[in-house]
Amino acid sequence: MREIYLDNNATTKVDERVFEEMRPYFCELYGNPSSMHFFGGQVQKKVDEARARVASLLGALPDEIVFTACGTESDNAAIRSALEVFPEKRHIITSRVEHPAVLTQCRNLTKRGYRVTELNVDGNGQLDLNELERALDEDTAIVSLMYANNETGVIFPIEEAARIVKKKGAIFHTDAVQAVGKIPLNMAESAIDMLSLSGHKLHAPKGVGVLYVRRGTPFRPMLVGGHQERGRRAGTENTASIIAMGKACELAEQYMADEAGRVRELRDRLERELTALIPNTRINGGGTDRLPNTLSIAMEFVEGEGILLLLSDKGICASSGSACTSGSLEPSHVLRAMGVPFTCAHGSIRFSLSRFTTDDDIDAVIKELPPIISRLREMSPFGREYLVQK
């Protein structure tokens, strides 16, 4: 059975060119980059090269790049740093649709006496910047808003939000894990103070991330010890994965136009065909800007778990939302915040494409999904009622 992988917002295939770049740094060039001898020095040069490659993709300076273990660490480090920088401030602003890496952290902080404002989204999953402006006050330490939603692909007006926040003197952080490598970013022209990204979302290995910290932004490290990362993140560097991250960012910069063009066309064709072939569907976030690779489609009168299992039987890998919350039987917190009707929220599926997605992959989903939905609706009492009325 041919594997059709359309769950790239959960994780991506490591590009073979990325793997080849990192391979020598396991068993051959295994020196510690902090060592003073030549054996470690040659590894340090590759780490420096990787830092420059990441910076190039972000339109940043190399010394603004801090390597971490993952996007979650980057998110946590950004929020905790801001609270240490402004110990007298007790207010955090985020949104109701953030990734658990941010949302769980903020909710846990309420148990320590912090005040957290979770901004609402509209039916398309979009922010109201007026609500953000009203929520800001002198007590706000940090605002953390995702650049693009991992479930729906909805892109927030992050640059405008950052400018509003900076006028109030708070730190602005964005979880850009899903956005980096898919849409152009330019930190040199941005008001963003800190930005998180993760290697395994752009064809690098799992276990490496980045926190961008704008030069001049006050920062307190979460991990302390050695001098690594200019004292901003202690611990011996994960050199092979850092080198892989650099190569992945170099390739992402080269393939940006492909994401915006060919991949978007594949996504749009999948969307058109499925909505034409399957009645009573809706596109979550379809009325606003979205990532070019992401399609969240809701189908009434069926359960997402059943859809995914039957798709998996056909070799098709998709998702019901975030891989970090997909074990829950509750409807997605993102779709609940958007006000998606209960009958749709449970039947929502996310297809997320990559540069390795082919026309044949899309053809397979178009062929297999409509009969799966018909079969599940015939088994559902609500679906049977719908078919009778039809």
Side-chain angles (χ1 to χ4, degrees):
M1 182 170 59
R2 187 169 72 92
E3 175 192 284
I4 298 166
Y5 186 77
L6 297 174
D7 196 17
N8 288 278
N9 284 8
T11 198
T12 58
K13 167 187 175 180
V14 175
D15 191 300
E16 291 180 10
R17 291 163 290 184
V18 170
F19 180 66
E20 290 303 321
E21 185 96 359
M22 73 186 293
R23 183 199 292 270
Y25 296 89
F26 287 105
C27 300
E28 299 167 35
L29 304 172
Y30 52 84
N32 189 320
S34 296
S35 299
M36 295 188 67
H37 48 66
F38 76 94
F39 196 61
Q42 60 188 336
V43 179
Q44 183 61 58
K45 288 180 182 178
K46 286 297 291 187
V47 170
D48 291 342
E49 179 185 68
R51 199 181 307 277
R53 285 170 164 177
V54 175
S56 178
L57 178 62
L58 296 179
L61 299 170
D63 65 6
E64 296 175 318
I65 304 303
V66 180
F67 289 111
T68 66
C70 58
T72 295
E73 183 194 327
S74 298
D75 289 340
N76 276 249
I79 293 169
R80 288 178 178 271
S81 171
L83 299 181
E84 288 197 29
V85 166
F86 299 122
E88 74 285 359
K89 296 187 177 185
R90 309 292 290 179
H91 184 218
I92 305 162
I93 298 176
T94 187
S95 84
R96 290 178 61 195
V97 298
E98 297 297 311
H99 188 276
V102 169
L103 208 50
T104 303
Q105 161 87 319
C106 290
R107 290 174 179 175
N108 284 344
L109 285 166
T110 63
K111 300 172 185 175
R112 294 172 49 193
Y114 287 93
R115 181 167 53 96
V116 175
T117 298
E118 296 180 11
L119 302 177
N120 296 303
V121 294
D122 63 19
N124 279 311
Q126 194 54 264
L127 281 177
D128 179 352
L129 293 182
N130 291 323
E131 184 184 3
L132 168 62
E133 199 156 13
R134 290 192 299 269
L136 285 161
D137 59 34
E138 296 302 317
D139 195 38
T140 306
I142 185 169
V143 176
S144 181
L145 298 170
M146 63 187 356
Y147 210 112
N149 189 267
N150 49 297
E151 294 190 26
T152 64
V154 169
I155 300 171
F156 279 173
I158 286 299
E159 295 298 343
E160 296 93 322
R163 287 191 289 270
I164 291 169
V165 171
K166 295 313 296 173
K167 288 179 183 177
K168 290 288 187 176
I171 287 177
F172 186 84
H173 164 257
T174 183
D175 177 339
V177 163
Q178 295 295 343
V180 172
K182 297 171 187 170
I183 56 177
L185 303 177
N186 188 350
M187 295 300 99
E189 298 178 358
S190 172
I192 294 168
D193 294 308
M194 291 188 279
L195 175 149
S196 302
L197 64 129
S198 182
H200 77 107
K201 306 294 188 179
L202 65 159
H203 306 289
K206 301 166 185 66
V208 62
V210 163
L211 178 63
Y212 158 83
V213 182
R214 177 176 297 281
R215 186 183 285 181
T217 300
F219 185 77
R220 302 291 183 272
M222 188 167 70
L223 294 180
V224 296
H227 63 274
Q228 294 89 352
E229 298 301 300
R230 296 174 178 261
R232 295 172 296 186
R233 202 271 190 181
T236 302
E237 297 92 339
N238 180 7
T239 52
S241 292
I242 286 171
I243 290 162
M245 170 72 100
K247 182 62 176 180
C249 286
E250 180 184 65
L251 291 172
E253 198 166 4
Q254 295 174 14
Y255 282 97
M256 192 84 69
D258 184 62
E259 285 274 357
R262 188 187 67 84
V263 173
R264 183 188 296 274
E265 288 174 6
L266 289 175
R267 190 276 308 271
D268 290 348
R269 180 163 75 87
L270 180 62
E271 182 176 312
R272 284 194 307 270
E273 294 289 342
L274 292 182
T275 52
L277 292 169
I278 304 171
N280 287 69
T281 61
R282 62 173 278 163
I283 304 303
N284 299 318
T288 190
D289 288 340
R290 288 176 292 158
L291 294 173
N293 80 314
T294 305
L295 169 61
S296 175
I297 181 169
M299 292 155 284
E300 286 194 287
F301 318 122
V302 289
E303 292 286 336
E305 289 79 7
I307 301 170
L308 293 176
L309 287 171
L310 292 175
L311 282 174
S312 184
D313 287 344
K314 301 292 184 179
I316 299 169
C317 303
S319 171
S320 58
S322 170
C324 298
T325 57
S326 60
S328 171
L329 294 177
E330 290 297 312
S332 153
H333 73 285
V334 173
L335 301 185
R336 291 202 310 270
M338 292 168 62
V340 175
F342 188 81
T343 54
C344 284
H346 267 291
S348 289
I349 298 299
R350 180 189 70 187
F351 296 102
S352 44
L353 290 58
S354 81
R355 62 174 176 259
F356 295 108
T357 304
T358 66
D359 280 290
D360 288 344
D361 294 337
I362 300 305
D363 290 340
V365 178
I366 293 168
K367 175 187 175 185
E368 300 293 350
L369 185 57
I372 286 174
I373 301 303
S374 295
R375 175 183 168 187
L376 290 173
R377 282 177 174 169
E378 288 172 0
M379 297 167 60
S380 163
F382 297 107
R384 286 197 301 269
E385 183 180 341
Y386 157 73
L387 291 172
V388 169
Q389 292 174 352
K390 181 182 174 185

